[in-house]
Structure formats: structure tokens, C-alpha cells
Amino acid sequence: MCSRTPRSSRTGRPRSTEADEAILEATRAALVELGWSKLTMGDVAGRAGVAKTTLYRRWANKNELVVDAVAVLFDELELPDLGSLRADVEHVVLQFAALLERPETKTALMAVVAESTRDEPLRERIRASIVDRQKRLVLEGRMRAQRRGELPADRDLPAVGATDDLIFDVIAGAVVHRALVSAEPVDGPWVARLSALLVGGLGAAAAGDRDG
């Protein structure tokens, strides 16, 4: 997993967690109010009550700052043990949907994704700071389901990694598309259908592996 701290290699005074939190919160607020195009490092510094040089010691540019402002929101996602894989999946999907309903998450995520279509380094930072970091939820859910006996133990590790990637893509893609593109509710009945489809597919795949 990537570190949550943006730029730790520079020398100087020690990092302030309080200052970082204020800066990231100010970034999200500015995005909601101003939008991507009008957001500046100077505006964020003013809102956070820090010098602009403080921002540049931590983030090289606006792109890095906004990605980290979004990434800490997704770090709030958790996967509690609710007794079954399906219940665990339903919970985290509803939690993800609730996060996307927050104006600061929606605005920031849409802004960085749109900008990344023409900025490859930004796309790589999104992948490392958000996507790869949140795949921990898939790994945690699969290992927990194996301990319960809901899924068989891993035999083909490369195939398992590819499956984890696919599970993440299916969940994230479905929820983001429904919530932010189609503007449809991610409610209990829809989440139950998605979870049943996903868990049923995993069960079928596991049975095929055993038969093979």
C-alpha cells in the first residue's frame, strides 16, 4: 500500500498533522465552492491559514494536493465482520455510496478523474493513492470469507490477484456509474442484487476451480 503522507523526503521543520488536515479540508471546500479550474494553491493556503510555501513543501502542484484530499476520504471505508461475505459486501457498498453522496467527495473525485484523462502522472497518482490503497477491502473480505469456509483457500496466486482486481473494478465501477453518472439511488434493494450477483459469481468460479 502507498503511504498516506504526500511528500516526506524534503528536509525542514517536522510535518504537522493538524496543518495537513486543515489543508486537505480546505482543498475539498474550495473545490465544492470554486470548481477545479478556479482552485489555486494560494486560495487553499488562505482557507487553511498557512503560508503558500507550506503547501509546496508537501505537494508539488494542485493535482497532487487534490488527489490526496480525495484519498483520505476513501480511507474512511471499513469492512466490519457481519458474519457472511454477502453482508460484508453490502455494508461496504452502502458505505461507499454514502461517501459519494457527500459534495466534497463527488466534486473532488469527478474533477481529478476528468483532469487525469489528459495527465498521465495524475492518473498514476490516482491509481496509487486511491485505487490500489482501497483494494485492501477486497483482500480483507476474501481472506475473511476463506476463514469462514465460504471460499476455498488460494491455489493460484496470480489468478487470485487478477480476481481481486476484477472484484474491485466491478464494485467501484457499478457504484460510481450508478451514483455519479446515472444519478440513480444506491439503495438497499439495488445493493442486495449487486452483492448476490457478485457472491454468486465467486461461488461459481470457486466450484469451477475445484472441478477443474
Side-chain angles (χ1 to χ4, degrees):
M1 298 295 174
C2 289
S3 171
R4 192 173 304 184
T5 53
R7 299 176 68 86
S8 58
S9 60
R10 299 185 181 186
T11 59
R13 289 181 295 179
R15 294 287 298 271
S16 166
T17 301
E18 292 78 10
D20 284 356
E21 291 175 352
I23 290 166
L24 297 177
E25 183 176 351
T27 302
R28 295 188 293 269
L31 270 172
V32 173
E33 182 179 332
L34 303 175
W36 176 275
S37 61
K38 295 182 179 179
L39 176 70
T40 67
M41 298 286 271
D43 181 79
V44 171
R47 289 170 183 259
V50 300
K52 190 160 64 172
T53 53
T54 300
L55 266 68
Y56 282 108
R57 281 199 298 268
R58 292 158 164 78
W59 295 274
N61 52 50
K62 179 173 79 173
N63 291 357
E64 291 187 3
L65 174 60
V66 173
V67 170
D68 285 350
V70 178
V72 296
L73 295 178
F74 285 96
D75 285 341
E76 297 175 10
L77 295 174
E78 296 178 347
L79 190 68
D81 189 344
L82 298 179
S84 72
L85 178 58
R86 181 166 174 176
D88 292 352
V89 170
E90 289 182 8
H91 178 89
V92 78
V93 169
L94 286 170
Q95 194 180 36
F96 181 33
L99 182 60
L100 292 179
E101 288 179 358
R102 290 163 56 175
E104 64 270 28
T105 311
K106 183 186 306 183
T107 303
L109 181 62
M110 296 293 274
V112 295
V113 169
E115 189 68 18
S116 72
T117 61
R118 50 183 178 270
D119 187 334
E120 183 60 30
L122 176 59
R123 188 178 307 168
E124 291 295 331
R125 192 172 182 88
I126 291 171
R127 182 180 297 116
S129 298
I130 300 176
V131 176
D132 289 346
R133 211 149 79 190
Q134 297 314 315
K135 286 180 181 178
R136 63 184 170 82
L137 298 168
V138 176
L139 175 61
E140 183 180 348
R142 175 172 55 78
M143 293 178 67
R144 183 182 294 162
Q146 289 173 341
R147 290 195 296 269
R148 294 192 193 111
E150 295 174 283
L151 293 175
D154 301 330
R155 292 192 299 177
D156 185 344
L157 292 181
V160 168
T163 299
D164 284 353
D165 287 348
L166 180 58
I167 293 169
F168 181 89
D169 290 344
V170 168
I171 294 175
V175 176
V176 169
H177 187 276
R178 186 167 178 86
L180 301 186
V181 179
S182 299
E184 295 287 345
V186 182
D187 53 18
W190 184 86
V191 172
R193 291 193 297 272
L194 174 64
S195 300
L197 185 66
L198 182 62
V199 173
L202 286 171
D209 290 342
R210 288 194 298 269
D211 295 340

